[in-house]
Structures are given as C-alpha cells and as structure tokens.
Amino acid sequence: MKHSDLHECSQLNEMKVDMAMMNVISAWHLAGNNILVEQMPIIGGYCGGVEETAICDIATTIASFALLNADIHLGGPIHVRWGTTTNRQSLQVAAHTAMALDTNTDLLLGNQYYAMAGPCTVMNLLETAAQAICDTASGRELLSGVASAKGVVKNKVSAMEARMMGEASMAACGMDISDANNIIDRILGEYEVNYYNPPKGKTFQECYDLDNIQPTDEYLDVYENALSKLSDCGIDF
C-alpha cells in the first residue's frame, strides 16, 4: 500500500458523523482509495467514565466499518483532564475495546499515541512503552505515534519515541494478559507521580544532530535509562 493510497478522516465526537464526511468518504470509495477513519472518545466528557467511554469506543469503531466502510479504524481514547492516551483510564478503555473487538471480529484496529512528557525524557518513553504493551497484548494491528508533549507543542516529536513504541510492542508479542497487566501497572507507577509537573523535554533540533538526522548521545543515554527501568518492570528486551 502506498502512503498516497491511504486516506484518513475523523468522526466527530461523540458518535456523530456529518454530511461533509459522508461526501468525502463517498469520493474516496469511488476513487478506489484505502480508508482509515479515526475517532478519539473523551473519558470524562459527554460519555462519562471508563465503562461508558469503552462502549462509545466500540460503537464508533463498528460505525467506521459498518457505516463508512473503512479499511482501518484508528482509535485513541483521551482523558479530558490529562489530554493523553497513556494515562491509566485511557489504557483501560483502549484495552477493553480492542480485546472485545479482536475476540469477536477480524477488523483492523489502530491506536493513536499522545504522551504527556516531551522528547528526550524517560517519562515519555515509559508512557510510550506502557501503551505499546497494552495495544499489542489486546490485539491491535496498528500503532500510530508518537505525539509527544500531548501533540500540541511545535517540534516536540522525534523518531526515538516511535522506536520505543516498536521495541516495546515486539517485546509484548505473545505476552500473557495477566503478565502484561502487571508490567503496565509497574510502568504506570513510575510516571503517574509526574502528571502535575511532567518534564517538557527538548525540541527535535535539540535532541537530534541535524547534519545526519541521528539522535544525540544525550538522547541515547536517556533511551538506555528507560530500557533499564522497563526491564526492572518485567519487560524482556
């Protein structure tokens, strides 16, 4: 699949679709494009708490395929207070949604990554790893990230976060659900304490050598530190 063949659009929150989206989707189908539809239900928003948001998440996922004939659904339950997908409640919603759908369908499921901390920080990499383990163990096929610093700060994204997402996902392949739960709980304990004062991290220009587009020695050291902490939490890299 070429990147240009994949077209993406978003449902409206919560469980709403407008005519503009229907028109766009129709045009893409006529053109023979592959279609990815996303929707990020808000925990603590119109739906309510974790259980209600999980029901919403499942409904919007099914709608992407049944109503819009999407090829892939990209989720990403996000917390109304923290604005991330890596907090405990978001991981609960994402895991239960994916497990329910993966157990009963053959639909292609993705999840978006919005970490609280900025790049070149251990917290960011721990957040990323926790979600990657959660998504992999619960049956998602696509991991889409990472939007560091909540995805709202300019130049606060780098490939090192995506590398952690991939490495943690591969380490979680075949992992027993109870083991995954225990490991994720330990990782969460490492970074939940920093929610009120998360490290801002560095911009891409500050944590990469711009001449050869390689991470700086500092970021490599941060990455190794994160791997060590994750190993202590039970991940076998």
Side-chain angles (χ1 to χ4, degrees):
M1 181 188 299
K2 297 179 181 178
H3 183 270
S4 58
D5 293 334
L6 182 63
H7 287 60
E8 177 182 344
C9 63
S10 300
Q11 296 182 38
L12 305 177
N13 291 83
E14 303 283 1
M15 296 191 289
K16 296 182 184 295
V17 175
D18 61 4
M19 289 305 300
M21 181 181 186
M22 297 291 282
N23 290 333
V24 168
I25 289 284
S26 297
W28 288 348
H29 280 300
L30 289 172
N33 300 126
N34 296 291
I35 298 173
L36 182 151
V37 176
E38 68 173 12
Q39 208 276 343
M40 301 178 71
I42 301 174
I43 304 164
Y46 290 119
C47 286
V50 169
E51 294 86 354
E52 297 89 346
T53 308
I55 294 170
C56 172
D57 203 3
I58 291 172
T60 58
T61 302
I62 294 173
S64 288
F65 298 99
L67 180 64
L68 304 171
N69 199 23
D71 298 291
I72 307 171
H73 176 82
L74 184 62
I78 199 151
H79 198 284
V80 69
R81 170 65 179 85
W82 305 117
T84 69
T85 59
T86 57
N87 61 85
R88 187 177 295 268
Q89 291 76 22
S90 289
L91 295 181
Q92 287 177 316
V93 172
H96 284 287
T97 297
M99 184 61 74
L101 289 162
D102 190 63
T103 301
N104 295 285
T105 75
D106 60 355
L107 302 175
L108 294 178
L109 309 173
N111 207 12
Q112 302 181 74
Y113 283 59
Y114 285 80
M116 184 177 292
C120 201
T121 65
V122 170
M123 178 176 171
N124 176 288
L125 298 173
L126 295 181
E127 291 181 81
T128 300
Q131 185 173 335
I133 296 167
C134 178
D135 287 337
T136 303
S138 55
R140 292 188 188 267
E141 287 79 21
L142 173 67
L143 311 184
S144 176
V146 176
S148 302
K150 301 184 182 181
V152 299
V153 183
K154 187 177 180 180
N155 295 327
K156 286 291 182 77
V157 175
S158 89
M160 286 291 278
E161 297 95 78
R163 175 182 173 182
M164 175 59 78
M165 182 177 67
E167 288 209 54
S169 175
M170 288 187 286
C173 288
M175 186 180 290
D176 183 80
I177 293 297
S178 62
D179 291 337
N181 278 334
N182 290 332
I183 290 171
I184 292 168
D185 187 55
R186 292 187 200 120
I187 300 172
L188 279 162
E190 292 284 336
Y191 66 79
E192 280 179 317
V193 296
N194 297 318
Y195 276 8
Y196 288 98
N197 188 31
K200 295 181 180 179
K202 299 192 174 187
T203 63
F204 177 80
Q205 296 91 328
E206 292 172 328
C207 60
Y208 261 67
D209 183 336
L210 299 183
D211 291 330
N212 55 22
I213 314 300
Q214 294 293 319
T216 61
D217 290 341
E218 178 188 14
Y219 203 170
L220 292 173
D221 288 341
V222 169
Y223 193 90
E224 289 299 322
N225 189 4
L227 288 179
S228 177
K229 287 183 177 294
L230 290 167
S231 295
D232 290 340
C233 290
I235 304 177
D236 183 8
F237 284 102

